[in-house]
Amino acid sequence: MRNLNNKLFGKFLRYPCSVKSHDSRKHGLFHHTFKLLKQISNLNDVGNKTKDLCLVGAVFHDIGKIKSLHNYVEKSKNIYSYDFLIGHKQNSIEIFDDLSSRINNFPSIYHRLIKNIIIWTHNVDYDVPGTLPGKIISILDNTDAAISSLIEKDKKISVGRFSKLPYQKNYYYKAI
Ligand SMILES: [Fe+2]
């Protein structure tokens, strides 16, 4: 079990967060998660229970990418694999289920709330009610992903140039 966890943790530290969306470089997954943890540590008005749930939720919200991106990272192949088909959120839930099942008497309410956080990342699921920790992680996650993506794109543009960025309707101008 220790070996398995070391393997999982090693991938968590090493993997990119995406192929080309944001934090798409070595250690990107850990860096993105760490930025969320830093933001959560500054939340002082939510109470300890919500803050703790946010911290654990942040660690697990993207962890499924170590399965989804396995082909891409380990075999230098395209991203498509069985685990990619399932999607990283479901992979995150499976990893969380596996690890939490090894803890005796893990409280079922926290189990459910952490899964709610994972499901709530990236998009609104109208079938799943949002919770305070779920919405906080969703906002922080989207914001960090958007800013990181913008910074990465900005580095590729020369000063004084206009450019069209993916998913943006107006032009982008690199002023400095
Ligand atoms: Fe994320």
Side-chain angles (χ1 to χ4, degrees), residues 17 22 32 36 61-62 65 122 141:
C17 200
H22 71 96
H32 167 65
L36 262 58
H61 87 284
D62 270 346
K65 289 181 178 179
H122 298 300
D141 182 40

Short mmCIF file of all heavy atoms in Angstrom, two decimals, residues 17 22 32 36 61-62 65 122 141, ligand 1:
data_model
loop_
_atom_site.label_atom_id
_atom_site.label_comp_id
_atom_site.label_asym_id
_atom_site.label_seq_id
_atom_site.Cartn_x
_atom_site.Cartn_y
_atom_site.Cartn_z
N CYS A 17 -0.81 19.61 -15.67
CA CYS A 17 -2.22 19.73 -15.31
C CYS A 17 -3.12 19.53 -16.52
O CYS A 17 -4.30 19.21 -16.38
CB CYS A 17 -2.47 21.10 -14.68
SG CYS A 17 -3.97 21.14 -13.71
N HIS A 22 -3.89 24.77 -19.41
CA HIS A 22 -3.19 25.59 -18.40
C HIS A 22 -2.27 24.70 -17.58
O HIS A 22 -2.50 23.50 -17.45
CB HIS A 22 -4.17 26.31 -17.48
CG HIS A 22 -4.89 25.39 -16.52
ND1 HIS A 22 -4.46 25.18 -15.23
CD2 HIS A 22 -5.99 24.63 -16.69
CE1 HIS A 22 -5.28 24.32 -14.65
NE2 HIS A 22 -6.22 23.97 -15.49
N HIS A 32 -0.67 23.87 -9.85
CA HIS A 32 -2.05 24.36 -9.87
C HIS A 32 -2.74 24.06 -8.53
O HIS A 32 -3.38 24.94 -7.95
CB HIS A 32 -2.79 23.68 -11.03
CG HIS A 32 -4.25 23.84 -11.03
ND1 HIS A 32 -4.90 25.06 -11.19
CD2 HIS A 32 -5.26 22.92 -10.89
CE1 HIS A 32 -6.20 24.88 -11.15
NE2 HIS A 32 -6.45 23.59 -10.96
N LEU A 36 -4.16 26.74 -5.45
CA LEU A 36 -5.50 26.71 -4.83
C LEU A 36 -5.38 26.61 -3.30
O LEU A 36 -6.10 27.29 -2.58
CB LEU A 36 -6.30 25.52 -5.36
CG LEU A 36 -7.28 25.81 -6.50
CD1 LEU A 36 -6.62 26.40 -7.72
CD2 LEU A 36 -8.04 24.55 -6.89
N HIS A 61 -9.39 17.45 -6.38
CA HIS A 61 -10.27 17.86 -7.47
C HIS A 61 -9.72 17.50 -8.86
O HIS A 61 -10.48 17.22 -9.78
CB HIS A 61 -10.61 19.36 -7.39
CG HIS A 61 -9.64 20.26 -8.06
ND1 HIS A 61 -8.41 20.56 -7.52
CD2 HIS A 61 -9.70 20.92 -9.24
CE1 HIS A 61 -7.77 21.37 -8.32
NE2 HIS A 61 -8.53 21.62 -9.38
N ASP A 62 -8.41 17.49 -9.01
CA ASP A 62 -7.81 17.19 -10.32
C ASP A 62 -6.93 15.95 -10.29
O ASP A 62 -6.26 15.66 -11.29
CB ASP A 62 -6.94 18.38 -10.79
CG ASP A 62 -7.74 19.39 -11.61
OD1 ASP A 62 -8.85 19.06 -12.04
OD2 ASP A 62 -7.23 20.51 -11.81
N LYS A 65 -6.35 13.33 -13.04
CA LYS A 65 -5.57 13.56 -14.25
C LYS A 65 -4.35 12.64 -14.32
O LYS A 65 -3.82 12.41 -15.40
CB LYS A 65 -5.13 15.03 -14.31
CG LYS A 65 -6.31 15.94 -14.59
CD LYS A 65 -5.93 17.40 -14.67
CE LYS A 65 -7.16 18.23 -15.00
NZ LYS A 65 -6.87 19.67 -15.07
N HIS A 122 -15.21 22.70 -12.79
CA HIS A 122 -15.32 22.99 -14.23
C HIS A 122 -16.70 23.40 -14.72
O HIS A 122 -16.82 24.24 -15.57
CB HIS A 122 -14.84 21.83 -15.10
CG HIS A 122 -13.41 21.52 -14.89
ND1 HIS A 122 -12.43 22.43 -15.11
CD2 HIS A 122 -12.79 20.41 -14.46
CE1 HIS A 122 -11.27 21.90 -14.82
NE2 HIS A 122 -11.46 20.68 -14.42
N ASP A 141 -10.72 27.39 -8.84
CA ASP A 141 -10.15 26.55 -9.91
C ASP A 141 -10.26 27.26 -11.26
O ASP A 141 -9.28 27.36 -12.01
CB ASP A 141 -10.91 25.22 -9.93
CG ASP A 141 -10.37 24.27 -10.96
OD1 ASP A 141 -9.14 24.20 -11.11
OD2 ASP A 141 -11.17 23.57 -11.61
FE FE B 1 -8.26 22.35 -11.46
#
